Amino acid sequence: MLLRCLGVAAGGGYPQWNCACGGCRAARERPERATMHAGLAVSGRGERWFLLNATPDVHHQLATDPNLHPGPGPRDTPVAGVLLTDAEFDHTIGLLILREGSSLVVHGTPEVLEALETQFPVRNLLSDYAKIDWQPVEPGEPIELDERLRATAFRTGGKPPRYVGSSERPNWELGYRLEDTATGGTAVYAPTVPRWDESFAAQVADADCVFCDGTFYTDEEMSRQGTGSQPGLSMGHMPIDGPDGSARRLAELRGRKIYVHVNNTNPILDENSAERRGLERQGIEIGHAGLEVEL
């Protein structure tokens, strides 16, 4: 199984267009620090690839990774489908970019697919532009993506997108457990983790690689920097730091640990920050576009 990190930024990218926080200013001064939205590409044999979410900059993500370039025919593409972790704009707007007539399979929970038909009508908008096979996903039910690659969704949270409003339906936020049935390699992709409960712990305990929600370093990060008023937990993201943070738990796992979906306010985007060095000492990596994992 091959996994390619396409970007690591949370919503808005890094730098964010309307943000003058210290991190965004630094990324404008040093463009090499900039990163596209969090996304992952996975393939069993390196021939057919599946995207974990379709971000607003998906066309740039595909252009910068030779594994995802089209060919050999003029409209052949190795991109076979998309696995949606939720219905948030930052994870679904890219579906509108992938509209030039290619055949794609898009997997999402019934809640997510319904939201993309009604409140944010991507499905209706794409019906005349692309050949999309919309496939409902149920947590716990394996999806055979190809002859050796299997994906099994699991619920991480129940927070719907803001444009949906309140909802009693449970399966709004997912992680995916990815398995190579030939090698036995396993990876978990979970960009939204509101809590490290027993269910989530079971999904990552024996994984060879975990791509984990690294949105905020501390819960009050945005209010302290003057970029927002909501705590991270209220937005569905547990912090990295602290006794109840994700770093302590990730450090205990045997597999490779990589933070993705990192907010522009998070100091770990600075490769020289004390926060980043502290994570690296614990064996935890911060993802970057082009990072490759083979399992």
Side-chain angles (χ1 to χ4, degrees):
M1 173 168 54
L2 303 172
L3 303 114
R4 301 278 299 184
C5 185
L6 304 178
V8 298
Y14 182 66
Q16 183 173 302
W17 71 276
N18 66 339
C19 186
C21 72
C24 286
R25 289 199 305 271
R28 292 188 184 96
E29 293 168 1
R30 295 176 54 199
E32 68 274 13
R33 287 182 55 178
T35 181
M36 290 179 281
H37 286 83
L40 191 75
V42 60
S43 177
R45 300 172 59 90
E47 298 169 358
R48 299 174 73 242
W49 290 84
F50 294 84
L51 307 180
L52 276 296
N53 293 324
T55 71
D57 41 22
V58 66
H59 55 308
H60 295 301
Q61 292 176 339
L62 300 181
T64 56
D65 193 326
N67 294 280
L68 305 175
H69 288 179
R75 284 300 177 96
D76 292 339
T77 173
V79 179
V82 180
L83 302 169
L84 297 176
T85 63
D86 52 48
E88 297 287 350
F89 287 148
D90 300 312
H91 296 159
T92 57
I93 283 177
L95 294 172
L96 295 172
I97 307 299
L98 304 174
R99 68 181 185 277
E100 281 80 16
S102 293
S103 298
L104 294 171
V105 181
V106 177
H107 301 270
T109 64
E111 291 93 321
V112 167
L113 297 186
E114 184 176 315
L116 297 181
E117 188 171 19
T118 54
Q119 290 100 330
F120 179 38
V122 170
R123 296 179 65 174
N124 299 329
L125 293 171
L126 286 174
S127 61
D128 292 327
Y129 292 90
K131 303 168 186 176
I132 307 292
D133 179 13
W134 304 91
Q135 286 293 321
V137 169
E138 292 294 339
E141 294 185 4
I143 307 163
E144 304 297 333
L145 297 175
D146 60 27
E147 65 274 11
R148 63 186 286 179
L149 184 59
R150 176 183 299 152
T152 305
F154 59 92
R155 182 179 182 273
T156 58
K159 180 177 175 290
R162 200 181 309 175
Y163 67 82
V164 170
S166 61
S167 173
E168 298 299 322
R169 301 174 72 177
N171 297 322
W172 283 106
E173 297 168 303
L174 300 178
Y176 284 92
R177 185 177 172 91
L178 306 163
E179 179 184 2
D180 187 323
T181 58
T183 66
T186 57
V188 167
Y189 186 73
T192 303
V193 182
R195 68 192 65 83
W196 196 293
D197 55 19
E198 291 183 3
S199 176
F200 184 73
Q203 295 291 340
V204 300
D206 63 345
D208 297 302
C209 185
V210 177
F211 295 88
C212 187
D213 181 354
T215 307
F216 299 114
Y217 192 76
T218 63
D219 193 41
E220 303 295 334
E221 182 175 303
M222 292 187 68
S223 61
R224 288 175 181 171
Q225 297 192 35
T227 60
S229 58
Q230 288 184 287
L233 284 169
S234 72
M235 300 169 68
H237 302 283
M238 69 181 300
I240 290 173
D241 194 34
D244 296 321
S246 59
R248 181 175 64 83
R249 294 168 171 83
L250 277 178
E252 297 172 350
L253 300 180
R254 66 166 182 83
R256 192 170 177 182
K257 290 86 66 170
I258 303 170
Y259 274 125
V260 294
H261 199 272
V262 183
N263 199 56
N264 58 301
T265 56
N266 194 326
I268 68 172
L269 288 171
D270 180 357
E271 60 188 18
N272 296 314
S273 68
E275 292 85 354
R276 182 165 180 149
R277 292 196 300 269
L279 292 175
E280 291 172 344
R281 285 194 294 270
Q282 297 179 72
I284 302 172
E285 303 172 58
I286 288 76
H288 60 84
L291 183 150
E292 185 175 82
V293 177
E294 184 173 349
L295 300 173

